[in-house]
Amino acid sequence: MPKIVDHDARRRQVAARAVEIVATEGIDALTTRSVAGAAGYSTAVVSHYFEGKDDLLLATFRLASDRARDRFVAAVDAAVPDQRLARGLEALLPTSEEARQEWSVFLAFWGKAIALPELAAEQAARVRSASSRVARLMDVGPGARVPRGRRADVARQLLVAVQG
């Protein structure tokens, strides 16, 4: 009987090893061979799930971004309404091992986006989405003092202050 494989889970597992490689060794250390070895698979398995290095790079960035977003959302959901903005922004800071890994990945990918238009577009979309989430949190608490017409700008400024 053939083995049933959860392809999405396997792809995420490989991308998680890629996040670790980029965070600890740098973006140039990420190869099909290095991620296959770290994930415990053959290069053929990695090649099956990713069309090439650019696809693997994009999946790595997306996974790190998704983790940061999920931590932000969880912090916001757990906070009392007037503390949600502050708790969400705090959750983005590199105060845990996972967050430090993500920061390492984000920093490594800034320069890479110049050569990969799809990555640049992904980064821009993620920034817009994060800015929108932060701006929506300004309805209560300290953010409510910011005029509605300025909230998008202030949200971007807050993210720049937190993320650099």
Side-chain angles (χ1 to χ4, degrees):
M1 186 163 167
K3 183 177 179 182
I4 297 175
V5 176
D6 182 338
H7 294 286
D8 290 334
R10 173 92 34 103
R11 188 174 162 87
R12 281 190 306 274
Q13 180 190 24
V14 172
R17 298 298 78 75
V19 165
E20 293 170 3
I21 291 168
V22 171
T24 58
E25 300 175 45
I27 201 164
D28 292 330
L30 186 67
T31 63
T32 302
R33 180 171 289 153
S34 68
V35 77
Y41 297 120
S42 69
T43 56
V45 169
V46 174
S47 296
H48 173 75
Y49 289 101
F50 300 96
E51 293 178 16
K53 186 170 181 179
D54 291 351
D55 188 32
L56 180 58
L57 288 168
L58 191 56
T60 303
F61 177 79
R62 284 178 176 153
L63 180 61
S65 296
D66 288 349
R67 286 178 176 174
R69 180 205 57 223
D70 293 348
R71 197 173 46 261
F72 176 90
V73 169
V76 166
D77 288 348
V80 296
D82 66 340
Q83 298 266 320
R84 287 182 176 151
L85 177 61
R87 295 301 157 261
L89 293 172
E90 286 174 358
L92 296 176
L93 294 172
T95 56
S96 69
E97 183 55 36
E98 184 177 64
R100 282 188 288 279
Q101 273 190 352
E102 292 153 11
W103 275 72
S104 295
V105 169
F106 299 147
L107 292 172
F109 277 83
W110 279 352
K112 197 69 170 170
I114 294 168
L116 290 174
E118 189 175 4
L119 177 59
E122 182 78 20
Q123 285 177 325
R126 298 286 180 146
V127 168
R128 284 190 304 274
S129 179
S131 294
S132 177
R133 277 193 301 280
V134 169
R136 285 192 305 271
L137 292 173
M138 292 183 195
D139 286 338
V140 296
R145 290 177 275 203
V146 177
R148 286 199 183 277
R150 294 235 336 107
R151 289 183 183 175
D153 289 334
V154 171
R156 280 190 294 278
Q157 292 168 356
L158 286 169
L159 286 169
V160 166
V162 168
Q163 296 175 325

